[in-house]
Amino acid sequence: MGGRSEGGGQVSALRPSNLPKLAVCPCYESNPVAGPAAERGTLLDTAFRAELLQTDDRHELEDKLTSEEVAAVSWAVSMVRAMAGRERVLAREDDCRLQVLDLNGTADAIVPGRLMHFDLKTGLRRNYREQMAAYALGLMGAHFASEWTCHLLFCDLREIETFRFTYDEAHAVVDEVVRAFHDPRKKPVTCEYCGWCAKAETCPARRELVAETLPVADPGFDFEAVIADPDRLGQFLKACAVVDDFRERAKKVAIEQLKTGGEVPGWRLVTRKGNEFVNSETVGQHIEEIGFGPVLSAYGNMTANKFRRLWEEHLGSSKPFPEEAVKHAAPSTYLKQTNPKTK
Ligand code: SF4
């Protein structure tokens, strides 16, 4: 489920949705202030539930979504219906609550007749294995099953990831994370989740990394030696990522101070003129005079997913989507930090 605190009452660090993060850093603590991505996740999740249940407020919820988000939710609902077949789908929050090893959670939709549940995810694909293992464990207990299937619905990407667990497998996955969390000798492990962690600004592991990077200014700092050694290079980049994160946070604070009349010595606010543009309605009014061809070439290529959604919305299943028209751009390469346990 997208970003919502589970179980109600006091928010504990140890809850199913935090397990994938705790599996990497046992000291992770979620930030109590939900960011825009988490808020969007919760909204889409509510709309998904409402659509599955066909509740009266579903149109009201739909009005809060963009047309792309409406299409993403209806894709997820159609996947649930297709995989559930004639089986009953439970989607009321009260029907989807679960408890496992003292952790509370809420699945998005359960199909007890097929021993499976669905979880809606927004944004990029990430690891949710430990959260799904916890849900599987709770749902196996509630539905007297010895195996369980979890389907993650990445609605923005229109992708599905499926996990199947036996009781013992799910128990082992959850138990390992819970044990590491309760270990009195646990240590923070810097990772891709640091930016979301409530301790991001105070965490000793991150401060240590920053302290390692700052000697760049030291006259004795030998950059050639760093880039010549793969271990030092990796460590240096990891430290730079933390410094970048701190820098972004510091920039926000400085902008706020300068906007409210404060001073940050050495820095000032600069206002850039906004780009000029013509909205699509105006282009539409003149498109016949100019010609569709020149206007469409000026707009450029459309992503295949956007075109698929347009096709779905306007042509539905009346005509098959021309998959052969989808072109692939040249692959690009970028650097991504790996989590210590997934290296
Ligand atoms: S900031 Fe990063 S390393 Fe520190 S506790 Fe949080 S997740 Fe762990």
Side-chain angles (χ1 to χ4, degrees):
M1 159 172 128
R4 183 185 310 196
S5 66
E6 295 160 313
Q10 198 189 359
V11 175
S12 156
L14 194 58
R15 56 180 198 269
S17 61
N18 273 353
L19 295 187
K21 295 144 192 152
L22 290 168
V24 181
C25 173
C27 303
Y28 174 86
E29 199 179 293
S30 52
N31 204 317
V33 183
E39 280 174 7
R40 176 176 180 266
T42 303
L43 178 62
L44 264 67
D45 191 66
T46 312
F48 171 66
R49 223 180 260 288
E51 194 55 40
L52 276 175
L53 294 165
Q54 294 286 289
T55 57
D56 294 342
D57 64 346
R58 67 187 194 280
H59 300 300
E60 217 173 285
L61 282 162
E62 215 176 271
D63 289 343
K64 295 182 186 164
L65 308 180
T66 64
S67 59
E68 294 210 347
E69 289 169 341
V70 171
V73 169
S74 36
W75 170 82
V77 169
S78 65
M79 289 302 111
V80 174
R81 296 217 167 108
M83 287 197 253
R86 290 167 173 259
E87 295 291 342
R88 192 165 61 116
V89 178
L90 306 177
R92 285 176 60 239
E93 288 204 29
D94 282 347
D95 291 335
C96 294
R97 286 193 216 289
L98 55 99
Q99 194 172 27
V100 48
L101 306 177
D102 288 336
L103 319 181
N104 297 317
T106 314
D108 285 337
I110 306 171
V111 185
R114 298 214 163 160
L115 304 179
M116 68 186 184
H117 84 274
F118 294 86
D119 216 48
L120 186 79
K121 297 292 181 197
T122 50
L124 298 176
R125 251 178 115 135
R126 293 185 181 278
N127 167 47
Y128 294 102
R129 181 168 167 265
E130 294 78 8
Q131 181 187 9
M132 291 306 104
Y135 282 11
L137 202 54
L139 291 168
M140 278 187 257
H143 296 277
F144 310 105
S146 56
E147 285 189 351
W148 197 264
T149 302
C150 321
H151 297 292
L152 287 169
L153 303 172
F154 292 92
C155 63
D156 293 317
L157 304 170
R158 311 289 197 272
E159 287 176 16
I160 301 177
E161 185 175 6
T162 300
F163 293 97
R164 285 192 183 83
F165 295 102
T166 62
Y167 188 89
D168 289 346
E169 283 164 356
H171 197 282
V173 171
V174 177
D175 199 40
E176 189 183 338
V177 185
V178 173
R179 257 201 263 175
F181 176 80
H182 288 302
D183 184 345
R185 294 159 303 158
K186 69 181 176 183
K187 294 232 164 23
V189 179
T190 56
C191 58
E192 62 172 306
Y193 302 118
C194 289
W196 300 342
C197 179
K199 301 171 184 165
E201 286 170 20
T202 52
C203 174
R206 284 176 38 104
R207 287 181 172 201
E208 255 171 52
L209 271 176
V210 174
E212 276 172 27
T213 314
L214 292 181
V216 168
D218 187 325
F221 174 71
D222 186 352
F223 186 59
E224 289 300 320
V226 171
I227 56 176
D229 176 347
D231 284 338
R232 288 181 70 190
L233 178 63
Q235 195 58 18
F236 179 75
L237 284 170
K238 199 170 162 191
C240 288
V242 179
V243 174
D244 272 351
D245 188 21
F246 276 122
R247 188 178 64 116
E248 284 308 312
R249 287 160 191 258
K251 264 167 74 177
K252 278 191 196 145
V253 172
I255 289 172
E256 247 350 274
Q257 283 190 13
L258 291 167
K259 270 190 183 165
T260 51
E263 262 192 60
V264 180
W267 295 87
R268 69 185 170 92
L269 280 184
V270 177
T271 307
R272 255 201 307 252
K273 201 174 143 204
N275 286 341
E276 289 185 324
F277 69 95
V278 175
N279 62 26
S280 54
E281 283 81 15
T282 309
V283 175
Q285 283 164 17
H286 300 283
I287 198 163
E288 288 196 9
E289 297 159 70
I290 301 171
F292 277 85
V295 171
L296 290 177
S297 347
Y299 267 111
N301 297 333
M302 183 184 286
T303 64
N305 271 350
K306 208 180 242 187
F307 191 52
R308 270 198 194 93
R309 284 200 282 277
L310 274 177
W311 193 280
E312 262 169 45
E313 280 167 32
H314 298 280
L315 301 177
S317 52
S318 65
K319 223 172 159 189
F321 180 82
E323 286 297 340
E324 68 285 357
V326 175
K327 309 249 181 308
H328 293 267
S332 58
T333 309
Y334 69 100
L335 201 57
K336 187 174 186 301
Q337 192 177 342
T338 54
N339 286 323
K341 290 186 185 169
T342 56
K343 260 187 215 172

